[in-house]
Every structure is written in C-alpha cells, then in structure tokens.
Amino acid sequence: MQRPASETTQPTADQLDSSTSVESNQTIGEQAELRLQTAFVLLTFVGMIGGLVASWLGAPSTSWVLYGMAYVFGGWYGLLESIKALREPAVEIDLLMILAALGAAGIGAPFEGAMLLFLFSLATVLEEYATRRSRGAIASLIEMRPEQARLQRGDVEAVVPISEVQVGDVYIVRPGERLPLDGVVVGGQSSVDQSSLTGESVPVGKAPGDEVFGGTINETGSLEIEVTRLAHESAIARLIKLVEEAQSRRAPTQQLIDRYEQPYVLAVFALTIIAVVVPLAIWSAPFEATVYRAMTLMVAASPCAVIISTPAAVLSAISAGGRNGVLFKGGEHVETAGDVNVVAFDKTGTLTEGETRLTDYVSRGTDLSADELLAIVAAVQSRSEHHLAAATVTAAKDRELAIPQVTAFNAVVGKGVRGVVGDSTIHIGNRRYVESELPDHDLAGRDTGFSAVRALEDMGKTSVLVVRETSDAAEVIGWLAYNDTIRADAADAINRLRTQGVERIVMLTGDNERVAAAIATELGIDEYHASLLPEEKVDHIQRLQSIYGAVAMVGDGVNDAPALATADISVGMGGAGTDVALETADIVLMSDRLRQLPYAFALSRKTRKTLYINFAIAFGAIAIMIAAILAAGIPLPVAVIGHEGSTVLVSLIGLRLLGFNAG
C-alpha cells in the first residue's frame, strides 16, 4: 500500500517564481504515474476474469497465464514498496498482500489471489485519487497566479514575466483579471474577490493605500498597484509553503499508528505462521485447507483501513480550512483544537479592529501648543510598531505637522517608549511606566496628568502621559487618548464558541482596567485581566490550563508571542498572511475575521468525530472478519472484499470533510 499523501512529492513555494516548467513537468509526471497505476489495475482485472473464464472452458494453461498476468500487474507496485521497505529494514502491508496472494496460488486458489491483488491495487489507486483531491484545493493556488504582469513604465504598458518584476514597479490590472503580485494600490478604485486566499465571502473594496494580494480577482474597476513583494515572497507562495509543511506534520493519532504499524504487521505474520503450524503439527489438519484459512486470516487482519483513516480525514480538514481562510499549520493542530475548553483573547487587534485612532491630545498648558505636543510625540512613536504609535503618527501626518528628529529610542514592553528630541528626553507611557521608569523624579504635573488620564479611561479610552525630562527637571507636558472599535463579528463569534461547548471566554490585555471592563461587559466575556505585561499573560494562560485543561490563545502574534507559545493552541489574526502571525501561530485566520474561529474549532471537532467513525469501521471490520474466519471459515474472497471495502470506505468518509460547513 502506498504511503499517505503527506509523504508524496509536492511543488515547493520557493520554486514558484523560477521553475514553473519544473512544477508543470512534475504535475504531468504524477498524473502519468497515476494513469499507469490505473492501467495496471485494469490489466489485473482482465487477467483475473480471463483466468476464471479459461478455467471454466477447460483451458488450464491459458488460465494460469492469465492469472500470472494478474499477479504481475496487480502486485508490481506492492512489490516495489515491499523491496524499498525491506532495505530500511521494515515490513510493509504490501508484503502481507503479496504473500497471501502467492499462498493462495500455491494451494490451487489462483482466482482468490488474483482477486486480492486486484482489489488491493484498486484500493491503492482510489486512495491516491482521494488524497490528491484533498490536496487539490491548496495546490490549485499555484495555478491562480498569472505568469505575466502588465507594467506601467512611463506612458507605455509592457507585459513582462513576473520573474522580471521588481519591488517598486507599478502594474495595471483590469476588471476580471487576477492580480499577479502582492502590492499597494496607488491608483484607481475597485472591489477585489479575496475568497481564494482569505475565505472572504464578499469582495473587498480597494482604494489608494490599500494592500492587495496576488492570485485574487479584480472585479469592477482598473487598479494601478505598486509591487511590495516578489513572487516567491507573496501571500500565496507563503500559504502554499505552510500548507505543504502542515500536510507533512503528522497528527497525534497518525504518529501513534506509525509507532505501532511495524509491531502489528509482524504480529500478523506471526499469527499467520501459527495458524499454519499449529493445526498441521497438533491435529494433522489438511494442508491446503489450513494454508487457505491462514491466508484468509492474514488478509482480514491487515490494517490498511486503519492506516489510511487518519491522513484521509486530516488532509481533507487542512484543505477545507485553507479554502475557508483558516490555515492549520499541522495535522496535530487539527486534532488538538478539538480539545479546547478555554479561549483567551488579546484585545487590541483581536477583539477590536486594531485600527486605533487618536481622539485627544492635550498640552498641560506649558510652553507647547497641542500641535507641537503631537509633533514631538509622533517623532518618538514613529520608531515603534505599536498600534497606538501608528495612530499618533497618522494623526500628525493628517495635520501636516513637521515631525522633528529623534535619537536614542528605547521601548519598555507593555509600558511605554522614550527617545531624545532636541536636548530633552521624551517619555510616553501609561501610569505604570511613569511609576517604574521615573520613580525618583520630582515630576511636575504628575497629579494633574494622572487625573486627566483616569477621566479619559473612565470614558473607555486608552490613555498615555507625555513627560519631558531635561538634565535638571522633569514635567508632564500633556496626555493623549485613543479609541478602538470592537469587531463587528466578535460577539457572534463568542456566542458560537459557547454553543460549541467552550467552557470559558477570557480576555488578557495590556490596556487599562476601565477600557477592559467596558469591552468585557459589552461582549459578555467571563473574565478579563488588564494592564498585563507579556509575561503576566503567560502566567494567566498557565493558570487556566491547570484549572480547565486545553487553552487556546488568540492574538496578533507580536507582543502576544509568549502567551501564544504557552497555550495549547495559538491562533493568529493573519490579515491575509502577515509575517508574524504565519510564523508564530498554530492556526491562522487569514482574513482577520473572528467568525472563522468557531469554524476552525467546529472543523477540528468534526475531524475527531470522523476519526472515531473511521477507527470503528476499520477495527470493527478486522474483528468481525477474524471472528468469522475462526468460527465459520469464511472464504478468502469475502475477507478480501471486507478488507478492501473498509479501506475505501474510510477514505471516502474522510473526504467528506472537504465540504465541511459549520453552518
């Protein structure tokens, strides 16, 4: 039996920009190989039926020749797999089937042996078709990206291969065309269908400044797009690479099966030998009948259905998730997500949109105007990647303020930042920052600043103080406040998680108590913890694990990295494949939609249920057939049909996950 599809050769994402012809040749080669296997199955069937007919017509020589053809074509691939395994050394199930078929022929039952090889090779081909289909939804992404781009070079449009396109080039895409490369819109407006990449059900409007992704479809208007990533760095390329890695990483159940496969196969060999030796030695049973029963027992006990049941389901689940904007980064995560009892959320960028805007910036009435305060703060925060910093810089640019130079920038994670502007050190941070970083200063305006920040936080805003420190003094020179918007689908996602059986919903945030309380109340969150540093989030994750068991952490993958790493399952808000989320999370929500989170957990639970059903069928078929052989001596053809039938059945049941819809 061929190994599951997770071990077969697949084109790598790193080759996408330079070896399209190699990918095409590889795909053609795989298709040709599968057609050859199919032809061998047909020739096996012809030999089996021809041998049977020749036997009926009284032509034994012709019958044996035709049966020989069936044995050669039916056992060819199994023999190659067995030889390859024996060199490791290891024992494959293919060897069991070949020995059983040869044993049947040796005792004068060539039809039964030919039938075994026919059904075994047929099941192998059907499994290959099934696993190829489970990978097809993701592999088709390779074909989604156009091979050429229409570049705008001055007043001339030039169509060039995407391998020649450089970062900073501008290409034009017309209505109905696929975007060849990732970039930022610099001209035009349109809507873009991103469903193939992010699972978005509705086209997304695009205007100058918006990010777009290669392989998606431009719908209504013409767009001019500046390239931001080369072909091999695109969202599609990274997605394909990660899915390839996910399909090669085995689920826990698969690892368990792999561990016991060799001992089980050797046990079947031992059982077969015992079934031959004991009756012959102890009660002088008839040789042919004894060997026939032993061959039947060998076929019935072979674990083909058990081995194929897990990859058939898990690979289908990974592909189904990919088509719906959920990237599982390994088979183990498909299974583990079904055990989650607690979901812990970060706030900013997860439960909220993360598009924080500056709502207030107030000078304390010193020598600075509000705009001058904003310019100084923007200078320092321009060096930070934090959401609040980005909002400050955006506000300063919108007001066309002159932003001064900053040096000696430094960030204190979870508290604030500082930098030198002119001859002063500017500190920007929350109350904890001021208390920990400036504890020994006679800080002018401290009480006024704390009172102002507290009042803004009572309004549900995130607030920071601005402190100017010189060689001989320090003072609060102002404060800023920010606001964020709760995601439209956050409440629905939380409700759906509860209906799926998640015991507790928790919010862990570095924001202040008042803001956290307001959001937790609005969304109906069971518990929340505010003003947390990254290491404090880890402590809470560990506490939840000790009480409830498996915990999932949902975050943006930046300052949540320690908590994401600690959780049993980490879920990243992918934003169509942002680098940090793709690198740190076990599961990535590619379109940043929380509604995909309940889908991911529901798909995981459905996969677990499918695995249980497949195991029940696989082990049940083995147990029933062995009992029937020992009690009633069922014939070899019946055991063959039961064995191969259960193998095909579990493959088809696993494939049903390709169309999974959580409702």
Side-chain angles (χ1 to χ4, degrees):
M1 189 179 78
Q2 289 186 333
R3 307 308 300 160
S6 58
E7 295 181 13
T8 59
T9 302
Q10 300 184 55
T12 63
D14 291 337
Q15 298 171 328
L16 289 176
D17 63 326
S18 59
S19 50
T20 302
S21 61
V22 174
E23 292 166 356
S24 300
N25 291 337
Q26 184 177 20
T27 301
I28 292 172
E30 290 178 352
Q31 292 173 347
E33 181 70 15
L34 188 56
R35 285 195 294 269
L36 183 61
Q37 290 184 45
T38 304
F40 275 32
V41 172
L42 293 175
L43 290 171
T44 304
F45 179 76
V46 170
M48 177 186 69
I49 297 301
L52 181 63
V53 172
S55 177
W56 287 344
L57 296 177
S61 298
T62 303
S63 174
W64 277 102
V65 169
L66 290 169
Y67 281 138
M69 182 180 79
Y71 275 61
V72 169
F73 288 109
W76 181 256
Y77 283 98
L79 180 62
L80 294 180
E81 290 290 326
S82 298
I83 293 173
K84 184 169 63 175
L86 288 171
R87 288 173 177 170
E88 293 185 5
V91 180
E92 289 282 358
I93 296 172
D94 305 78
L95 185 59
L96 288 178
M97 298 298 101
I98 291 173
L99 292 177
L102 292 175
I107 59 174
F111 173 76
E112 283 85 344
M115 183 180 182
L116 168 61
L117 292 176
F118 165 68
L119 289 177
F120 185 71
S121 58
L122 176 62
T124 299
V125 170
L126 291 176
E127 290 161 15
E128 182 64 16
Y129 274 115
T131 50
R132 283 174 186 265
R133 182 180 174 189
S134 73
R135 297 177 315 184
I138 300 301
S140 62
L141 290 173
I142 298 174
E143 303 173 2
M144 284 176 14
R145 191 199 62 199
E147 295 302 322
Q148 296 177 320
R150 185 182 298 105
L151 294 188
Q152 181 71 49
R153 290 178 171 169
D155 296 329
V156 179
E157 294 183 9
V159 178
V160 301
I162 59 172
S163 59
E164 298 180 10
V165 179
Q166 301 298 317
V167 172
D169 286 345
V170 175
Y171 70 83
I172 297 172
V173 61
R174 296 167 180 166
E177 294 181 342
R178 286 192 182 274
L179 280 64
L181 296 160
D182 293 4
V184 174
V185 178
V186 294
Q189 292 187 344
S190 183
S191 58
V192 176
D193 180 358
Q194 299 183 163
S195 59
S196 58
L197 183 62
T198 67
E200 294 274 6
S201 59
V202 178
V204 180
K206 299 293 182 181
D210 291 335
E211 188 175 13
V212 292
F213 306 98
T216 57
I217 302 174
N218 181 35
E219 291 208 329
T220 55
S222 179
L223 292 174
E224 296 177 15
I225 299 166
E226 180 179 341
V227 176
T228 56
R229 298 188 188 100
L230 298 178
H232 69 278
E233 300 171 337
S234 67
I236 282 183
R238 287 178 293 164
L239 176 59
I240 294 170
K241 181 178 180 180
L242 287 167
V243 172
E244 288 170 353
E245 293 172 353
Q247 292 182 337
S248 67
R249 294 169 63 184
R250 295 180 176 274
T253 303
Q254 184 65 40
Q255 294 173 12
L256 185 64
I257 290 174
D258 289 346
R259 179 180 177 183
Y260 290 105
E261 177 184 354
Q262 287 292 307
Y264 185 93
V265 171
L266 292 174
V268 172
F269 272 123
L271 177 65
T272 304
I273 294 172
I274 292 171
V276 173
V277 173
V278 171
L280 293 177
I282 296 180
W283 58 83
S284 301
F287 177 79
E288 290 188 0
T290 300
V291 173
Y292 185 88
R293 175 174 289 191
M295 296 301 101
T296 306
L297 196 62
M298 178 188 290
V299 172
S302 297
C304 287
V306 176
I307 289 174
I308 196 62
S309 59
T310 298
V314 171
L315 293 181
S316 295
I318 290 174
S319 295
R323 290 192 306 182
N324 287 275
V326 176
L327 173 59
F328 289 95
K329 291 174 60 179
E332 66 269 36
H333 307 314
V334 177
E335 284 197 45
T336 306
D339 293 328
V340 167
N341 297 314
V342 177
V343 179
F345 290 93
D346 174 46
K347 180 186 75 68
T348 305
T350 304
L351 289 173
T352 63
E353 293 288 351
E355 296 178 359
T356 307
R357 59 189 181 90
L358 180 67
T359 59
D360 303 84
Y361 55 101
V362 180
S363 172
R364 194 174 66 87
T366 59
D367 56 326
L368 295 174
S369 68
D371 280 351
E372 289 171 332
L373 172 72
L374 178 58
I376 291 174
V377 174
V380 178
Q381 291 191 328
S382 65
R383 301 292 186 89
S384 172
E385 82 288 348
H386 198 276
H387 299 286
L388 302 185
T392 303
V393 174
T394 298
K397 289 181 177 179
D398 289 343
R399 297 187 67 85
E400 299 182 350
L401 300 180
I403 300 176
Q405 295 294 316
V406 62
T407 59
F409 174 82
N410 189 31
V412 180
V413 178
K415 295 180 181 180
V417 296
R418 62 176 173 265
V420 176
V421 179
D423 57 358
S424 303
T425 298
I426 304 299
H427 300 263
I428 306 163
N430 55 27
R431 179 167 182 154
R432 293 177 65 179
Y433 176 90
V434 173
E435 291 174 341
S436 63
E437 299 299 313
L438 301 165
D440 300 325
H441 287 73
D442 183 12
L443 187 59
R446 178 195 295 261
D447 294 340
T448 302
F450 282 174
S451 296
V453 165
R454 187 178 301 107
L456 290 166
E457 290 174 351
D458 287 339
M459 299 167 61
K461 297 180 179 181
T462 301
S463 305
V464 295
L465 287 170
V466 185
V467 176
R468 180 172 57 191
E469 180 185 10
T470 61
S471 58
D472 56 359
E475 63 175 335
V476 173
I477 59 174
W479 44 87
L480 294 84
Y482 307 82
N483 203 356
D484 200 354
T485 304
I486 294 176
R487 291 184 182 273
D489 56 353
D492 179 63
I494 289 173
N495 290 334
R496 290 175 61 190
L497 288 173
R498 293 189 194 283
T499 61
Q500 290 177 3
V502 174
E503 295 181 37
R504 199 156 186 83
I505 306 295
V506 179
M507 182 174 69
L508 305 176
T509 178
D511 214 335
N512 66 77
E513 173 77 19
R514 295 175 183 83
V515 173
I519 291 177
T521 300
E522 184 170 348
L523 293 178
I525 291 172
D526 297 315
E527 68 177 87
Y528 68 91
H529 302 275
S531 302
L532 298 179
L533 297 174
E535 58 269 25
E536 292 173 326
K537 290 185 179 182
V538 171
D539 294 338
H540 283 288
I541 293 293
Q542 293 173 337
R543 177 185 60 82
L544 292 168
Q545 288 171 325
S546 66
I547 298 173
Y548 297 100
V551 175
M553 175 69 191
V554 188
D556 59 13
V558 184
N559 57 350
D560 298 313
L564 289 168
T566 304
D568 298 275
I569 285 290
S570 57
V571 183
M573 305 297 287
T578 56
D579 293 332
V580 174
L582 288 176
E583 289 297 326
T584 59
D586 300 325
I587 301 173
V588 180
L589 308 183
M590 296 297 292
S591 67
D592 267 359
R593 296 291 183 266
L594 282 177
R595 58 178 169 77
Q596 293 172 326
L597 184 62
Y599 171 86
F601 290 154
L603 177 58
S604 175
R605 289 185 171 90
K606 182 66 174 179
T607 303
R608 293 282 293 273
K609 183 178 179 180
T610 299
L611 289 177
Y612 295 150
I613 293 172
N614 280 353
F615 288 147
I617 292 173
F619 285 113
I622 291 173
I624 291 172
M625 286 190 294
I626 289 177
I629 291 167
L630 296 177
I634 63 172
L636 180 58
V638 174
V640 170
I641 292 172
H643 175 268
E644 304 303 339
S646 62
T647 301
V648 173
L649 182 58
V650 297
S651 297
L652 296 177
I653 291 174
L655 278 175
R656 293 177 63 233
L657 289 170
L658 284 171
F660 177 75
N661 188 339

